[in-house]
Amino acid sequence: MAATTLLIELGVEELPPGAIDSLSDALADGIHRGLTEAEVDFGEIRAYATPRRLAVQVAELGDKQPDREIERRGPALAAAFKDGQPTKAAEGFARSCGVSVTELVHLETDKGTWLGYRERQQGETTTVLLPAIVDKAIAGLPVPKNMRWGASRVEFSRPVHWLVMLYGSDVVDAELLGLRSGRTTRGHRFHAPDPIELAHADDYLDVLEHAWVLADRNLRRERIREQVLAEAEVQEAKAVIDEELLGEVSGLVEWPVALAGSFDERFLEVPAECLISSMKANQKYFHLLDEKGRLKPLFITIANIDSHEPQRVVEGNEKVIRPRLADAAFFYDTDRKQPLAARIDGLASVVFQKQLGTLADKAHRSAAVAAFIAGRIGGNVAQARRAAELAKCDLVTEMVLEFPELQGIMGRYYATHDGEPAEVAQALEEQYLPRFAGDAIPQTPAGQALALADRLDTLTGIFGIGQRPSGTKDPFALRRAAIGVLNIMIKGELDLNLRELLELAAAQHRDLPYAENLVEEVLGYMLDRFRAWGQDEGIPAEVYLAVRARPVTKPLDFARRLRAVHAFTQREEAAALAAANKRVSNILAKQADEVSRQVDVSQLQEPAEQALYDAVSSSRGRVMPLFAEGRYHEALDILAGLRTPVDGFFDDVMVMAEKDTIRRNRLALLSDLQALFLEVADIALLQQ
């Protein structure tokens, strides 16, 4: 079959920049799915998008479906003929197929012989199939909010003005979104406003680039990056390229041109984070740093036009940013007129959650837990308590109300201005760490105590009112809170008992409707997060299950066990010892009475059981001190040496001996062996 390139382009009014990538990818996925279902051969599918267009290019698209052999099964042969003559069932089946009975065939199956019909169905041409495929793909787009335009009842994210559908050099006849397909596209709104006729689908990117449009999203993004870096070099500065901002700016332009502007140096008296937030959020500017990493009074904007008078464009941007930065300076000056502590009373009017009270209530609860944690980790109890009291005060400042992403950061600035201890000020920012996977954890004891206390308060409170997260809903980000607690304890090497902390956090709440079993429920939920945590470190689920089977409530200890057992599984002896432990577990589980671990040496009759007893006794003396210090890796290396005596025991010794005393003694020996491994994990579960 012949193959050529397909081009589909929807020309629209400016799309929301945050939706462009998802819409573009979804359109390509929909075309891919439709062609696959239609069984039409195709090559690479490329998605293109700008603020004014969504496009898909399909390489080496076949011109038709393959022919198919259709097989229909009719009545069983025994029911199709009687005395050599076709029955009504056979005749009816033949009529439904449009043939005579003589044209039917016999189909042999494992359930007998049936009357059947085979025909070759011609494949449909691709150009006939495409309108329905494209229509279905467009209908499946994740449009944030549909709108109508003019007198039409057609709906889409933005008004659609043109539709290109080219198969090679031929137009695919279709009517979609109220438009008849054609070969006419549009270039840049200002640089190339006239209609452009596309001769062939392969010409798309080149024709648009000559019309001042970079339709390739990745190329446009990288062009912006290169221009920003180059312009920063001209300014003898370092550009900070935020990837999220880069993507957003890429969704705002079709022909990017980087231009550098400046602002009044007096604004540098305002914290850099405030100025950066204002430039990014309001104007989509990239900020610049000097050689010491300090903010320079410069910015880079990306214009959507290659102006003959670029300085006028720069001056326009400078004029716009000036009042924005002035607002930030005003907020900063206004906020500092009263100390952060003066806002504590104001937290009583801000609801955290209607059943859990206000932010003032949360601060009070967190203060008690933070002080306790600080005492356990060698921190300053008073500073941790003070940090918790001030933790949410910056949420009611003008600056954070305008720029919520500055929460914690402004708390640090204002606390420092007020003369609060340096660690208290730092803790106000660190309370939100880690914010995402791989993020840093708090470095100060007060910051660690506050970050843990705040999350534990949220977890116990939300669980306590019965709003446990489901598979799809987690409005209070409890998964992230739980993983944050684990990461702080593990990376910070904090030897804290999670059950103890949850009991304390739960006790700070009053009248929780689901208080019964609350601590165990939250504890289980948090320890279950270790499955995903382990997977991120390349630790398989069976290792997690082996450790989870033990009553471990210290996250740092849990992580050490996970890593040690994972390393143990890489040893040659691991599989055999896991199988042996599985066998031991099965034997002991079948005993009606509890099995003692006291072995009577005088009852050891076989050399193999004596050898196992000696090996277990010797190993216990070496590993118990290691267990006490959490050195599980070294302990398991020692226990790996038990493979030979364990194998010898099961090869040569009958555990369930007829004599009761000998049988009980052998069971006690196995129980003693099992107990050694259970000090780390239930390695029998590694067999799963």
Side-chain angles (χ1 to χ4, degrees):
M1 291 187 293
T4 189
T5 303
L6 170 70
L7 171 67
I8 301 159
E9 183 192 51
L10 282 178
V12 297
E13 291 188 13
E14 276 70 7
L15 291 163
I20 288 178
D21 285 355
S22 61
L23 289 172
S24 177
D25 291 337
L27 182 59
D29 290 343
I31 299 299
H32 183 285
R33 188 162 46 250
L35 293 174
T36 301
E37 292 172 355
E39 299 182 13
V40 179
D41 292 335
F42 59 91
E44 184 181 6
I45 294 182
R46 303 182 188 92
Y48 303 120
T50 75
R52 298 180 67 212
R53 71 200 72 231
L54 295 173
V56 173
Q57 201 174 47
V58 183
E60 300 176 351
L61 179 63
D63 61 359
K64 65 187 293 288
Q65 291 174 311
D67 295 341
R68 295 188 242 181
E69 187 173 84
I70 304 300
E71 182 177 279
R72 292 179 60 187
R73 193 172 79 173
L77 197 62
F81 295 94
K82 186 175 183 181
D83 299 329
Q85 298 299 315
T87 63
K88 289 184 178 180
E91 292 173 343
F93 176 65
R95 279 195 305 274
S96 71
C97 296
V99 297
S100 65
V101 173
T102 58
E103 295 177 84
L104 300 176
V105 297
H106 293 179
L107 302 178
E108 301 289 342
T109 71
D110 55 356
K111 295 184 179 180
T113 304
W114 306 77
L115 203 60
Y117 175 68
R118 293 192 184 100
E119 68 171 327
R120 191 159 192 82
Q121 187 179 76
Q122 295 293 314
E124 190 60 85
T125 61
T126 300
T127 53
V128 171
L129 296 169
L130 278 172
I133 291 174
V134 177
D135 184 48
K136 186 176 180 180
I138 292 173
L141 293 180
V143 175
K145 187 176 182 180
N146 274 319
M147 63 181 295
R148 294 179 185 174
W149 56 96
S152 170
R153 299 191 65 81
V154 173
E155 293 186 353
F156 195 61
S157 176
R158 292 292 186 272
V160 182
H161 293 300
W162 73 87
L163 171 64
V164 174
M165 286 183 65
L166 281 180
Y167 181 61
S169 58
D170 298 327
V171 173
V172 179
D173 187 34
E175 185 172 342
L176 303 171
L177 296 174
L179 295 171
R180 177 63 60 181
S181 59
R183 62 173 73 248
T184 305
T185 186
R186 304 285 195 280
H188 192 280
R189 186 185 296 278
F190 304 112
H191 288 304
D194 297 330
I196 300 170
E197 297 292 306
L198 291 168
H200 195 284
D202 286 333
D203 300 339
Y204 184 64
L205 290 182
D206 288 341
V207 168
L208 282 187
E209 187 160 1
H210 280 93
W212 302 78
V213 174
L214 292 178
D216 187 316
R217 292 178 295 163
N218 294 327
L219 175 61
R220 194 166 65 251
R221 186 189 298 249
E222 292 312 307
R223 183 75 60 85
I224 294 171
R225 188 195 306 275
E226 292 168 6
Q227 290 186 9
V228 169
L229 293 175
E231 189 62 32
E233 190 172 343
V234 171
Q235 302 297 327
E236 299 182 344
K238 176 186 176 183
V240 178
I241 299 180
D242 178 277
E243 293 298 322
E244 185 176 346
L245 176 62
L246 179 62
E248 189 173 3
V249 171
S250 177
L252 290 168
V253 298
E254 292 196 316
W255 190 259
V257 177
L259 299 170
S262 63
F263 57 86
D264 197 320
E265 288 193 24
R266 68 184 176 85
F267 289 122
L268 293 179
E269 297 174 5
V270 179
E273 293 91 341
C274 305
L275 304 180
I276 293 167
S277 285
S278 183
M279 286 190 284
K280 286 171 59 176
N282 295 318
Q283 302 306 128
K284 316 304 176 190
Y285 293 165
F286 296 93
H287 61 281
L288 302 177
L289 305 178
D290 64 16
E291 68 279 359
K292 294 183 179 180
R294 297 171 304 197
L295 183 66
K296 297 193 72 170
L298 300 169
F299 62 84
I300 294 177
T301 183
I302 304 299
N304 189 33
I305 187 171
D306 194 358
S307 175
H308 295 301
E309 299 180 82
Q311 187 55 36
R312 290 187 63 182
V313 178
V314 171
E315 290 170 359
N317 280 274
E318 291 175 341
K319 184 177 180 180
V320 170
I321 194 60
R322 196 174 300 120
R324 296 289 191 179
L325 300 184
D327 285 346
F330 174 76
F331 296 148
Y332 185 55
D333 291 339
T334 301
D335 288 340
R336 289 184 299 165
K337 288 178 180 179
Q338 61 173 317
L340 204 57
R343 302 179 187 272
I344 292 177
D345 292 341
L347 297 179
S349 60
V350 182
V351 175
F352 165 60
Q353 201 282 336
K354 63 180 181 180
Q355 292 177 266
L356 300 176
T358 65
L359 287 181
D361 297 323
K362 182 173 179 59
H364 180 74
R365 295 191 299 263
S366 297
V369 179
F372 178 83
I373 293 173
R376 285 298 176 90
I377 63 176
N380 185 305
V381 173
Q383 289 185 356
R385 184 182 296 278
R386 180 62 170 173
E389 292 170 350
L390 298 176
K392 307 303 178 187
C393 288
D394 69 342
L395 298 182
V396 294
T397 61
E398 296 293 333
M399 187 70 80
V400 176
L401 288 172
E402 179 70 16
F403 302 109
E405 67 273 16
L406 295 179
Q407 62 182 7
I409 295 172
M410 297 316 301
R412 171 171 60 82
Y413 276 109
Y414 294 147
T416 301
H417 175 266
D418 297 342
E420 297 285 349
E423 187 167 322
V424 171
Q426 187 65 29
L428 299 189
E429 181 174 359
E430 291 182 332
Q431 65 178 301
Y432 297 103
L433 301 178
R435 292 158 295 190
F436 49 82
D439 194 17
I441 66 166
Q443 296 302 304
T444 64
Q448 292 171 344
L450 175 56
L452 291 172
D454 182 62
R455 290 169 170 84
L456 293 172
D457 175 77
T458 299
L459 283 158
T460 52
I462 300 302
F463 269 78
I465 60 174
Q467 293 195 28
R468 179 189 177 115
S470 65
T472 56
K473 294 183 178 180
D474 186 12
F476 289 91
L478 298 187
R479 290 185 186 87
R480 188 170 63 193
I483 292 173
V485 169
L486 300 183
N487 278 321
I488 292 170
M489 291 186 181
I490 295 166
K491 293 180 181 178
E493 298 190 348
L494 306 180
D495 190 25
L496 295 169
N497 189 315
L498 193 52
R499 176 182 279 114
E500 181 182 36
L501 297 185
L502 287 171
E503 288 173 347
L504 177 61
Q508 307 308 309
H509 292 279
R510 295 181 181 178
D511 303 323
L512 291 175
Y514 294 88
E516 189 175 357
N517 299 320
L518 171 61
V519 169
E520 292 305 316
E521 185 182 7
V522 180
L523 177 64
Y525 176 81
M526 296 184 72
L527 293 179
D528 286 345
R529 300 310 104 198
F530 266 113
R531 180 191 289 266
W533 183 90
Q535 289 174 345
D536 290 342
E537 291 210 353
I539 299 174
E542 58 267 21
V543 172
Y544 157 77
L545 293 172
V547 176
R548 186 73 173 87
R550 304 303 300 142
V552 184
T553 58
K554 293 183 175 182
L556 178 60
D557 191 50
F558 200 113
R560 287 171 175 168
R561 292 169 188 252
L562 278 177
R563 289 164 176 158
V565 175
H566 180 50
F568 173 73
T569 61
Q570 311 305 308
R571 295 184 62 106
E572 180 185 352
E573 304 92 342
L577 285 170
N581 270 270
K582 180 72 172 176
R583 186 173 179 182
V584 170
S585 295
N586 291 336
I587 292 172
L588 297 178
K590 293 177 182 177
Q591 306 310 307
D593 301 321
E594 185 176 345
V595 176
S596 169
R597 286 175 49 196
Q598 296 299 317
V599 179
D600 185 349
V601 180
S602 66
Q603 296 291 327
L604 299 174
Q605 296 186 336
E606 301 292 339
E609 61 181 325
Q610 180 66 57
L612 179 58
Y613 172 77
D614 291 342
V616 169
S617 299
S618 172
S619 297
R620 182 187 298 103
R622 298 170 63 194
V623 300
M624 291 310 287
L626 297 177
F627 289 148
E629 297 174 11
R631 294 160 63 185
Y632 302 111
H633 195 298
E634 297 170 57
L636 286 174
D637 281 346
I638 293 172
L639 294 183
L642 292 175
R643 177 185 176 179
T644 299
V646 167
D647 287 348
F649 178 86
F650 282 115
D651 287 342
D652 300 339
V653 176
M654 174 69 72
V655 177
M656 305 308 289
E658 291 187 12
K659 190 173 181 181
D660 183 67
T661 55
I662 293 186
R663 181 175 66 254
R664 289 181 178 277
N665 202 53
R666 289 173 179 171
L667 289 171
L669 177 56
L670 292 181
S671 180
D672 200 24
L673 167 68
Q674 181 192 53
L676 274 184
F677 285 95
L678 288 177
E679 290 286 340
V680 184
D682 186 353
I683 71 165
L685 296 178
L686 297 177
Q687 286 291 100
Q688 294 182 3

